[in-house]
Amino acid sequence: MKKILKYTLVVTAMLGMASCDKGFDELNVNKTAATAVDPAFILNNALINASFPAGIVQYEMGVVQQMVSPNSGVLLGANFNQDNREATQQTWQRYYRSVVRNTEDAILLAKANPARTNLLSMARITQAYAFMILTDTYGDIPYLQAGKGFTDQIVLPKYDTQQAIYTDIIKELTEASAVLDASKTIETADILYAGDVTKWKRLGYSLLLRAGMRLSKVDAAQAQSIVQRAVQGGVMASNADNASIKHDPNYVNGPGQMLNSTEANNFYLAAPFVDYLKKTNDPRLTAIALRYVGAASGSEQVAARGSKDPAIQIGMPFGYDNNSIAPVAAAAKLASFYDYSQLDRTRMGKNTAPMFLVTYSQTQLLLAEAAQRGWTTGAVADFYNKGVRAHMEQLASYDVNSTVPTAAIDTYLAANPLVAATALEQINTQYWIASFLNGPEAFANFRRTGFPKLTPNPFPGKGIKGDFIRRLTYPNSEISVNSTNVKEAIGRQGADDLDTKVWWDK
């Protein structure tokens, strides 16, 4: 009897446990959690992170002599013509981790849905843009195997040659731009153009134009063919087509954040940039610059001292550190180096300033060069004037107080007409100005064309053999973790230093 009672109790307990388990799996499922992510949001994440990191101020903008710091340490870079891999790795890490990884995922998911061909094309164009930035900056890079750590478990990707990368980028831009179709699903969640197919097409073909012009020195015939293909497809038609990343207090502009925090008193507009704008009475100087007149220290850079008057702006020369710059500043009748002109941190340099990636202004200036070379039809001067005007009008997008009046634009263009004998220099010097705050593009176009004509940074004990930095160096993390593939790339391309030229620059 005791045994029967014992067995009965055990069975009852087991039945009770079974009844408690019933529905247990369903109970522990979060019914409000997403089981899949819309690839449009993944692409948005890639686009947001395409905004450049602060390191472009140290290197790319320093190489083309738009901004400079007299300080070394963590700010070591183009100011002293020396390598600082804490800064040179920033674009690599941002773009591979947060742009390429997301575009690769978006492409994979969009391919699986035949109804979302527009999204697929948008992701392909974004990815092509990202790889162009990376290869222009570093040379040979992981391309075909990049971004496949999760999908294909390729965690040590091989490096492809820049020539092969450009061949595929051109193919991707050509195909993706052509496939965009307004009769197909419109991706309204898109943060760049709200799914506007016409604008995405114009972006794709404007990037194709940029890619074609990038090859002008290494393969003029191919460059001409690509340029003509881009023009036929249809490039940007106005500033409304500009590809720019917007920022807000929660997602801030990288260079703006740096210039408004730890390095607020450490970066200055460079003398070659300020001097050129002053020499030509360029109204953009008023929109860009601010000088804290008489500031003897960083704490004295206060609003009451701030002046936008273009006549008194003074750019900091290259070749000095924070000790040797003191007598130079004194000779210029400045209170200290804190008295030099800066990018106005309350306007174009603010935390919430937009970041322009590809613009109508740049596109018109590239068309001007292409027309000057006989690669496309149209009046060179018309393209030139439209490009300069567009950039001046674009400045209002940073801040209403950076608006350049129409009358000032008209006066400038009348006083600085395009001259056939110096057209290529004028066009590409204007491209330098139009790419201000887009360090990677200004750096790439300077290497390609040799314009503007800049005097090499004379800082003593420079870390380069040539006159200018030609590329940025690979991250130490790549060298230590992906060493076999990095060494193969170095053996093929040349030493991993600031002197080695990329393929299209040779």
Side-chain angles (χ1 to χ4, degrees):
M1 187 69 179
K2 288 182 180 180
K3 287 184 178 181
I4 293 174
L5 180 59
K6 183 177 181 181
Y7 291 146
T8 300
L9 291 171
V10 170
V11 171
T12 301
M14 291 176 67
L15 289 172
M17 290 174 64
S19 65
C20 287
D21 284 346
K22 186 176 181 180
F24 182 79
D25 290 340
E26 292 81 357
L27 184 65
N28 283 276
V29 172
N30 184 347
K31 295 181 180 180
T32 64
T35 57
V37 178
D38 188 330
F41 299 144
I42 297 175
L43 177 58
N44 281 345
N45 199 19
L47 289 166
I48 289 171
N49 282 287
S51 184
F52 300 122
I56 66 165
V57 180
Q58 282 174 253
Y59 273 96
E60 290 94 322
M61 293 184 69
V63 176
V64 300
Q65 300 184 5
Q66 292 174 331
M67 292 183 70
V68 62
S69 173
N71 298 321
S72 57
V74 296
L75 298 184
L76 183 76
N79 53 346
F80 299 156
N81 275 327
Q82 294 181 6
D83 193 9
N84 174 3
R85 299 195 186 211
E86 287 301 311
T88 61
Q89 71 179 354
Q90 288 185 26
T91 297
W92 179 287
Q93 292 180 342
R94 166 75 66 83
Y95 268 61
Y96 271 117
R97 293 174 182 178
S98 302
V99 182
V100 171
R101 182 171 68 85
N102 284 305
T103 54
E104 189 69 23
D105 288 349
I107 288 170
L108 183 68
L109 292 171
K111 276 183 178 178
N113 189 339
R116 305 189 78 175
T117 55
N118 283 336
L119 180 64
L120 176 59
S121 289
M122 290 154 56
R124 291 173 72 185
I125 289 169
T126 305
Q127 186 171 78
Y129 164 79
F131 277 124
M132 196 184 305
I133 293 293
L134 286 164
T135 190
D136 288 348
T137 303
Y138 300 98
D140 291 3
I141 56 168
Y143 180 73
L144 292 175
Q145 294 186 349
K148 299 185 184 298
F150 292 106
T151 58
D152 297 2
Q153 290 75 56
I154 298 175
V155 294
L156 299 175
K158 291 185 177 180
Y159 283 52
D160 296 283
T161 67
Q162 186 175 72
Q163 183 173 6
I165 292 167
Y166 256 89
T167 297
D168 202 65
I169 284 174
I170 290 162
K171 176 187 75 69
E172 285 293 289
L173 290 172
T174 302
E175 292 179 358
S177 301
V179 169
L180 284 161
D181 187 346
S183 70
K184 302 294 177 63
T185 302
I186 301 300
E187 302 291 342
T188 56
D190 155 40
I191 62 166
L192 192 59
Y193 295 127
D196 188 319
V197 168
T198 299
K199 289 185 178 181
W200 271 101
K201 269 185 175 289
R202 289 173 180 167
L203 172 60
Y205 284 119
S206 296
L207 280 169
L208 186 61
L209 171 65
R210 180 183 284 188
M213 293 302 293
R214 200 76 93 226
L215 307 186
S216 62
K217 186 160 66 170
V218 72
D219 191 337
Q222 185 186 16
Q224 179 178 356
S225 175
I226 296 164
V227 166
Q228 291 172 346
R229 191 189 313 166
V231 171
Q232 184 177 12
V235 296
M236 291 179 171
S238 73
N239 275 340
D241 295 329
N242 287 343
S244 64
I245 306 303
K246 296 178 176 62
H247 297 95
D248 60 31
N250 295 313
Y251 180 74
V252 297
N253 179 298
Q257 181 184 36
M258 178 185 74
L259 295 175
N260 281 280
S261 56
T262 56
E263 311 308 335
N265 315 124
N266 293 325
F267 279 96
Y268 295 82
L269 291 175
F273 188 64
V274 172
D275 291 348
Y276 185 83
L277 295 179
K278 288 182 73 173
K279 181 179 70 174
T280 57
N281 292 316
D282 195 316
R284 284 172 288 194
L285 184 58
T286 305
I288 293 169
L290 185 73
R291 181 180 157 210
Y292 294 101
V293 180
S297 64
S299 61
E300 291 189 10
Q301 289 184 340
V302 294
R305 293 181 181 273
S307 175
K308 303 173 190 173
D309 182 355
I312 68 167
Q313 302 303 323
I314 303 174
M316 180 180 284
F318 278 84
Y320 305 95
D321 60 20
N322 56 5
N323 290 316
S324 59
I325 192 66
V328 177
K333 296 183 171 32
L334 301 181
S336 70
F337 75 74
Y338 298 100
D339 200 354
Y340 282 108
S341 298
Q342 292 184 295
L343 170 65
D344 189 343
R345 303 192 297 268
T346 69
R347 295 182 292 157
M348 289 178 65
K350 62 186 178 183
N351 282 349
T352 56
M355 179 72 72
F356 287 88
L357 308 180
V358 185
T359 67
Y360 170 62
S361 172
Q362 292 170 329
T363 301
Q364 287 296 297
L365 291 168
L366 289 177
L367 288 173
E369 181 183 345
Q372 177 68 20
R373 292 176 179 274
W375 293 353
T376 191
T377 58
V380 179
D382 286 347
F383 289 130
Y384 174 83
N385 289 335
K386 287 178 182 177
V388 175
R389 181 180 296 276
H391 183 247
M392 290 188 178
E393 292 174 345
Q394 177 188 316
L395 299 188
S397 299
Y398 289 98
D399 190 276
V400 66
N401 293 317
S402 285
T403 300
V404 179
T406 299
I409 299 175
D410 294 340
T411 299
Y412 178 83
L413 290 174
N416 297 276
L418 186 69
V419 178
T422 57
L424 287 179
E425 179 179 357
Q426 285 182 268
I427 291 165
N428 285 289
T429 300
Q430 287 296 332
Y431 199 92
W432 174 59
I433 301 170
S435 298
F436 181 65
L437 295 175
N438 184 336
E441 184 57 21
F443 179 41
N445 202 66
F446 170 67
R447 286 175 289 161
R448 177 182 72 86
T449 66
F451 298 121
K453 290 182 178 178
L454 299 172
T455 300
N457 177 357
F459 190 83
K462 64 182 182 179
I464 59 174
K465 300 181 183 69
D467 289 337
F468 294 95
I469 292 170
R470 308 307 296 192
R471 66 179 281 274
L472 301 193
T473 50
Y474 296 130
N476 286 330
S477 57
E478 272 292 294
I479 295 170
S480 61
V481 175
N482 197 13
S483 58
T484 299
N485 291 319
V486 174
K487 287 177 182 177
E488 181 185 0
I490 293 171
R492 179 175 61 233
Q493 177 174 257
D496 181 30
D497 58 30
L498 303 174
D499 281 296
T500 296
K501 294 183 176 183
V502 301
W503 165 71
W504 53 251
D505 186 31
K506 294 177 180 177

